Amino acid sequence: ERRLRHKEFVYPVVVGTCAFYLGKKATETQSHKWYLYVRGVSGEDIGHIVKKVVFNLHPTFPNPTREVTVHPFEIEEHGWGEFELNVTLHFADDAQEQPVEIYHKLKLYSEVDPTIQSTKKPVVNEQYEELIFSEPVEAFYQRVSNY
Ligand code: SLL
């Protein structure tokens, strides 16, 4: 497949976690409910670019490798501790690109005051990432730039 020498396709995404303290329902191993997601910057489906997201959780979780192949590229879990996550994005076949890994921290406690826990106000940690396709395959570039 032909690659476009002087072109670049840049697609911004957000990787985030959103954690809710369970309050009275909290147990020792499940004090929080949390979500981990990858989406476009306005919350849009990224499925035309990304065919699979692999979320690698801490080994204390059952089946810590979670694969999602459709929007929303998101998982829901319960836990007690913060940890560093590995999120691997696999691109659409016509992109002919290797997967990329993004590291992200699951935050359960507010940095402003970690002793204050509210069941109503989630702790959100979002990171902006630019997916950069330099010298993209022509067919992929045509498809995604007209999207
Ligand atoms: C810590 N380094 O010690 C971290 C590890 C692991 C969190 C946190 C498992 C939940 C479950 C879970 O929340 N692990 O057992 O179902 O703080």
Side-chain angles (χ1 to χ4, degrees):
E1 278 280 353
R2 199 158 84 95
R3 285 185 179 265
L4 299 167
R5 279 294 183 74
H6 306 289
K7 287 254 178 346
E8 184 173 81
F9 178 70
V10 179
Y11 190 76
V13 295
V14 170
V15 180
T17 55
C18 179
F20 292 83
Y21 175 53
L22 294 175
K24 289 198 201 91
K25 292 190 207 128
T27 66
E28 210 171 312
T29 55
Q30 305 207 324
S31 54
H32 293 74
K33 170 166 142 174
W34 53 261
Y35 298 87
L36 164 64
Y37 48 82
V38 184
R39 55 196 187 207
V41 284
S42 312
E44 66 268 32
D45 185 352
I46 60 171
H48 60 302
I49 310 253
V50 171
K51 71 169 178 188
K52 181 169 73 177
V53 177
V54 182
F55 298 104
N56 293 295
L57 309 184
H58 193 268
T60 50
F61 284 87
N63 312 313
T65 304
R66 310 284 173 85
E67 300 196 352
V68 183
T69 55
V70 286
H71 180 79
F73 293 91
E74 175 179 287
I75 60 167
E76 179 189 325
E77 258 304 345
H78 291 82
W80 54 269
E82 300 184 331
F83 60 95
E84 182 91 6
L85 292 143
N86 170 293
V87 177
T88 307
L89 307 185
H90 295 259
F91 298 111
D93 293 333
D94 62 353
Q96 296 184 30
E97 295 290 346
Q98 292 306 305
V100 301
E101 284 183 85
I102 298 171
Y103 288 87
H104 187 75
K105 191 182 171 189
L106 167 64
K107 279 195 191 164
L108 304 182
Y109 303 98
S110 155
E111 264 168 20
V112 184
D113 186 349
T115 65
I116 295 178
Q117 295 223 88
S118 158
T119 55
K120 298 200 180 78
K121 210 169 148 271
V123 174
V124 176
N125 182 30
E126 285 192 336
Q127 134 188 26
Y128 176 91
E129 284 288 329
E130 278 183 342
L131 306 177
I132 298 170
F133 302 86
S134 49
E135 305 199 349
V137 168
E138 185 173 23
F140 169 76
Y141 182 81
Q142 300 294 353
R143 183 174 67 80
V144 297
S145 37
N146 293 327
Y147 208 79

